[in-house]
Structures are given as structure tokens and as C-alpha cells.
Amino acid sequence: MLKYIGKRIIQILILLVIYVAVVFFLLHAMPGGIKAMLTMNPNLTPQARDAILHAFGLDQSLWIQFLSYLKNIFTLNLGVSFSFYPTPVWNIIAERLPRTILLFTTATLISFFIGFSSGKSLAWKRGKASEYVATVVGVITYTVFTPLLIFVLIWFFGAYLGIMPINQFLNPDLWLKTNFSAQTIFLYLLLTISLVGIAMLVSFAVARKVSHKVKTRKIIFYTSTAVVTALSIFWWAISPYGIYGADIIWHMVLPVLSVTIISYAGTMLVMRDSMLETIKEDFITTARAKGLPDKVVRDKHAARTAMLPVITNFVLSMGFVVSGGVITESLFSWPGMGMTLLNATLGKDYPLASGALIFTGIFVLFAHLVIDIVYAFLDPRIRY
């Protein structure tokens, strides 16, 4: 396995170089490139124009610029943003990334667990009216025009009922007298979710170690998760940050709902189709012939094999989380990575746009590595 991981990391580095080259040359091929943008000011003297070109290395050939850019990428130097000059690109990404990760990780996790469970159950009870209804609803929500869905949600919950905020990620009136930034609250929220996630993984491992009975394992797992979740909620309730965390979560409801509806349909449909194919396999018939309970055959044999394409979809979704959703973030005015990428591209802020794209590419490349490793644990037939 270690040998395989080493080979895959070398492949990732090669792909990363290719990806950086594509991003670099595409951005330089855009109309009104960097050089023209910096030197088109008619008020600049020729000496000032030459000084600017020399300072940014634009008086070099394109290949020399690319090699210099590649060196900067691998030394973690993404340059300085034009729009937020002289703020380094890293600082902007560090500020926007927690907002995007919190929003899209929450939506992806919710949609995965609901979609996986419902897809598994629908396929197992195939032929019933609930399967046909859920499939039709899933196809409609999966193919719906995303901006239309978001506008409907904003109109119904924000304008018609007036019970949800319709844009931004906080209430400015509430934050006027604070002596800390929203960034602090985002980081605390992410830390809380991470701790709950780690606690769930640990309790799952402990439950498998302690008992072989499914019922006992579920009791240990759900009790541990409930205790950790209750402690986290209690800490936020007594903390001075609690009201501000609640304000951010309140503003997250509609964006999370819109992303969850679309992602849930995709996960549910993939799981249902994969499960329908798996239950036709010989090993499922053999398991039934041994007299195993229906629930054990479904959860331990069929669902474990059928979940491979769903896991692929889930891990890739987590990789793309850092890119955010351009449409979702723009329509809800959520200042995350997706909105940053859109504004940087429209404003010709090339360092920021390329930095955001490369950051996303690195996460997606490593997400593929995670998929390969997870496959080896889920499917005993896969060995590297």
C-alpha cells in the first residue's frame, strides 16, 4: 500500500505541474492580459511602464515567466492580489476558505447521509410506490436549474414568509460592538464540527472493538455521539461567542438547504442504482441462502459493495468543497471561495484567480488519492 501511495503522490505532482501550466497559459490567453492591464494607463511615462514590467517580471519571455511562477507555487508563494493590493493571495484564501468549507461541508455531509440511507432503503424495497415517487422527485430536483431553485427558496422563506435572512452571512447590527472578527467564529464552528466528527469515528471504532452485536454497537455509537454533540451545544450556549455562532448558522440555513436538495438527489439516485445492480449478484443470493437476516444482508453485504460509487461521488464533492459554489455564493452574497474566484476573474485579478484555482486543483488531486485508499478498505477484492 505504501509503495502504491508513493507512486500516486509522484503522479499527483506531475499532474499538478500540468494543471498549473494550463491555468497559467489560459489566464495569459484571456483578452486584455496582465501586461496590457498594467501598462495601458496613458498617464504612465515610458520609464514608469518599463519599471512596472520589470518589477512583475513581465519583460521576460512567457516561458521564463512560467518557470518563475511554477517555482513560486512550489514555494507556497501565490503572489499579491491586484484587487486587495498589497494583501498576499494566501491571506485572502485563508480568510475566505473557512466560510466556504463550513457551508459546503455541512451541506455535503447532510446530503450524503440522507441520500445514502434513502437510496439503500428504496432499492431494497423496489417496486413500491415510495420508490417511484422518490425517484421522480430526485430526478426533478437533480436536474432543476440551480438559480431557479435558489430564487424560489429566497422568495418563499425570505420574502413571502419572512422567516429567513436572504443574503450575507451575518447581521451587521449584531456585530457592531464586538471585539473579534467573524473569522474567529467560523474557525470555532469548524473546530466544533471536527471534534464531533473525530468523536464519531472513535466511538465507531470502539463499538466495533467492544462488541460483535449490531444492536450494542449502535447503542455505543449513538450514545457517544449524542453526548459529544450535547457537550458542544452546551459550550456554545454558555460561551460569549454563542449568539454570534447562532447568527452565522441562521444565515447558513437557506444556502445549505439549496445545496443539500441538489446534492441529496444525486447521492440518492446513484446509491439506488448501484444497490439495484448489487442485489442481483451471486454473493447476495448466497447470503440469503445461508439464512442471514434481511437487514444483515442489506447493510453488511449489499450496501457495503454498492456504496463504492457513492463514496467516489462524496470524496470528490469534498475535494471540490474548497472551490465553493459560484452560483450559490453569488446569489446568497456569501463571501467564500466561489464568489472570490468569480470576482477575481471578472476583475482581472490574475494572482488571486490563479491562486484560487490552483488551491482547488490540489484538493481535488488529493481527493482522488483518498478514494483509492478508501476503496481498498471497503472492497476486499481491491488490492494494490
Side-chain angles (χ1 to χ4, degrees):
M1 175 62 85
L2 290 177
K3 188 177 177 183
Y4 172 77
I5 293 174
K7 285 183 180 178
R8 290 284 287 121
I9 289 176
I10 293 173
Q11 291 175 0
I12 287 172
L13 291 175
I14 295 172
L15 285 172
L16 181 60
V17 172
I18 297 172
Y19 178 71
V20 170
V22 171
V23 170
F24 177 83
F25 287 109
L26 273 180
L27 288 176
H28 276 74
M30 287 176 63
I34 302 172
K35 196 171 182 177
M37 189 182 72
L38 291 175
T39 58
M40 287 298 287
N41 187 344
N43 297 322
L44 287 177
T45 63
Q47 292 79 10
R49 188 174 294 116
D50 292 341
I52 290 174
L53 293 177
H54 182 71
F56 285 94
L58 296 175
D59 53 349
Q60 305 287 334
S61 69
L62 197 58
W63 284 104
I64 297 294
Q65 291 180 44
F66 171 66
L67 293 176
S68 175
Y69 183 73
L70 196 61
K71 177 188 168 189
N72 289 337
I73 293 296
F74 281 94
T75 54
L76 304 180
N77 178 12
L78 296 179
V80 176
S81 167
F82 293 161
S83 308
F84 302 93
Y85 187 84
T87 307
V89 170
W90 268 119
N91 291 12
I92 298 171
I93 291 177
E95 180 193 49
R96 308 294 172 87
L97 190 61
R99 303 170 186 173
T100 293
I101 289 181
L102 180 64
L103 178 66
F104 286 89
T105 300
T106 305
T108 303
L109 288 174
I110 293 173
S111 62
F112 173 77
F113 285 111
I114 299 176
F116 173 76
S117 302
S118 57
K120 179 180 68 176
S121 300
L122 289 171
W124 199 250
K125 299 175 182 175
R126 61 192 180 284
K128 294 189 176 180
S130 58
E131 186 204 357
Y132 296 122
V133 172
T135 303
V136 171
V137 172
V139 170
I140 292 173
T141 52
Y142 187 63
T143 55
V144 70
F145 186 49
T146 303
L148 176 63
L149 173 67
I150 293 175
F151 282 133
V152 170
L153 291 175
I154 289 175
W155 168 79
F156 185 72
F157 292 103
Y160 183 71
L161 296 180
I163 58 175
M164 292 288 176
I166 57 176
N167 61 14
Q168 293 294 334
F169 62 100
L170 49 81
N171 180 4
D173 295 335
L174 180 67
W175 291 73
L176 281 177
K177 297 179 181 177
T178 58
N179 55 1
F180 51 83
S181 66
Q183 186 75 357
T184 305
I185 304 301
F186 273 107
L187 292 176
Y188 277 131
L189 286 171
L190 283 175
L191 180 63
T192 305
I193 292 175
S194 302
L195 290 176
V196 172
I198 291 171
M200 290 173 70
L201 288 175
V202 171
S203 59
F204 178 74
V206 170
R208 286 179 63 88
K209 187 83 175 175
V210 169
S211 176
H212 295 288
K213 295 182 179 178
V214 177
K215 191 174 180 181
T216 309
R217 287 179 178 178
K218 284 186 176 179
I219 292 173
I220 295 173
F221 175 74
Y222 288 121
T223 305
S224 307
T225 303
V227 169
V228 174
T229 305
L231 287 175
S232 302
I233 294 173
F234 177 72
W235 182 85
W236 277 99
I238 63 172
S239 165
Y241 302 127
I243 188 171
Y244 303 101
D247 184 44
I248 288 176
I249 292 173
W250 187 241
H251 282 78
M252 279 175 56
V253 173
L254 278 186
V256 167
L257 179 62
S258 61
V259 177
T260 300
I261 288 174
I262 296 169
S263 301
Y264 156 74
T267 304
M268 185 270 287
L269 292 172
V270 171
M271 184 62 194
R272 173 188 164 277
D273 292 345
S274 180
M275 192 81 174
L276 285 174
E277 290 297 321
T278 304
I279 57 181
K280 297 176 185 172
E281 298 285 342
D282 292 339
F283 69 92
I284 298 297
T285 308
T286 305
R288 281 173 165 160
K290 286 180 178 176
L292 293 175
D294 231 29
K295 204 171 180 180
V296 173
V297 177
R298 185 193 69 182
D299 295 343
K300 195 171 181 180
H301 296 275
R304 184 172 177 177
T305 305
M307 74 186 301
L308 292 179
V310 184
I311 288 292
T312 304
N313 194 30
F314 172 69
V315 177
L316 282 178
S317 300
M318 294 301 288
F320 277 106
V321 154
V322 297
S323 69
V326 172
I327 295 175
T328 306
E329 291 190 357
S330 299
L331 293 182
F332 283 105
S333 301
W334 188 272
M337 288 292 289
M339 198 169 167
T340 300
L341 177 60
L342 177 66
N343 291 335
T345 305
L346 294 176
K348 296 182 181 178
D349 188 346
Y350 295 101
L352 184 54
S354 61
L357 284 171
I358 289 168
F359 201 75
T360 304
I362 292 171
F363 266 78
V364 174
L365 288 173
F366 276 97
H368 280 88
L369 175 62
V370 173
I371 291 171
D372 291 340
I373 296 172
V374 171
Y375 267 28
F377 284 101
L378 291 177
D379 193 341
R381 296 171 297 181
I382 298 175
R383 287 291 177 266
Y384 300 114

